[in-house]
Amino acid sequence: MSHRAGRTRWRRFAVVLVPGVAACATVGIAMAQGVLAASFFISGQKFQVAADKLTARGFSLYGMVDVTREHQLVPVVVSGFRHATVDGLCQSVVVDVPVLGTQTLRLTGGTGRPAEASNLFIDATSESVGEANFGGLDIGVAQGAVTKGPIRSGDRNSRFFDPDGVAQQSLSTTLNDVRVTAVAVSAGTFNIPGLRLRVEQGNHSCF
């Protein structure tokens, strides 16, 4: 996995900045992104999401395809969590800004007290976990038969969702040292204690 976030043009900086600021303002947002594949285009910019520990009740893992405004198709693996607590959350994106050079937009939180999310979905192009523990695990279940973890409502109605495709589900999971390269993150609610958003000179990506 690359240890540097993807780089992009300055005009795309706002694509990541605006959702981050919105999260700071609401802290416990109803993002209405449960219809990700059907309702909006992704920017296509990859960013990093990291966590020291993620504990969840109701976990699912399945394949999907997201779409950019230019109608480019981006294959992703969707990790769904019905209810999750996140310790040591970090999100970052590195951009090259004309004149100013390399800048990092970095969001952190959940250090003293864990962040909590419901119906959390991470659309990833790559991910790694230092240690994973599952309870009530099923591997090879059909995507259309997943019941232990959440499936985004919009995904079920997407032309890219294969009800006979291979999925994974579990009643519970604990993931340590989580490292994800993602193109989208959505949640029904996301409460982040101690949330901090800052722009820093140079490369200060999460991992």
Side-chain angles (χ1 to χ4, degrees), residues 105-151:
L105 173 64
R106 186 180 175 100
L107 181 153
T108 57
T111 301
R113 182 162 57 92
E116 295 188 32
S118 64
N119 291 322
L120 172 66
F121 295 94
I122 302 175
D123 293 35
T125 57
S126 66
E127 55 185 84
S128 66
V129 176
E131 182 180 10
N133 296 285
F134 301 94
L137 175 65
D138 298 319
I139 299 176
V141 62
Q143 289 185 178
V146 169
T147 57
K148 295 179 180 179
I151 298 290

Side-chain angles (χ1 to χ4, degrees), residues 36 40 42-47 66 74-76 122-125 180-185:
L36 175 72
F40 74 90
I42 64 170
S43 71
Q45 170 66 46
K46 295 180 181 179
F47 55 93
D66 290 345
V74 182
V76 296
I122 302 175
D123 293 35
T125 57
V180 180
T181 300
V183 294
V185 175

Side-chain angles (χ1 to χ4, degrees), residues 148-198:
K148 295 179 180 179
I151 298 290
R152 209 161 26 205
S153 58
D155 287 353
R156 288 191 183 276
N157 299 323
S158 170
R159 63 191 176 99
F160 299 115
F161 184 80
D162 180 4
D164 297 318
V166 177
Q168 178 176 322
Q169 64 176 355
S170 66
L171 293 173
S172 63
T173 184
T174 299
L175 308 175
N176 294 312
D177 194 21
V178 180
R179 302 288 183 265
V180 180
T181 300
V183 294
V185 175
S186 59
T189 61
F190 209 154
N191 186 289
I192 309 175
L195 188 148
R196 183 182 180 189
L197 177 67
R198 61 190 184 277

Side-chain angles (χ1 to χ4, degrees), residues 2-22:
S2 172
H3 290 273
R4 292 177 61 89
R7 299 189 175 212
T8 186
R9 290 166 294 181
W10 171 242
R11 60 182 178 146
R12 288 192 175 181
F13 189 65
V15 173
V16 178
L17 177 61
V18 173
V21 173

Side-chain angles (χ1 to χ4, degrees), residues 27-28 30 35 51 54 60-61 65 84 104 107 131 168 184 189:
V27 188
V35 289
L54 189 155
S60 60
L61 186 74
V65 176
T104 301
L107 181 153
E131 182 180 10
Q168 178 176 322
T189 61

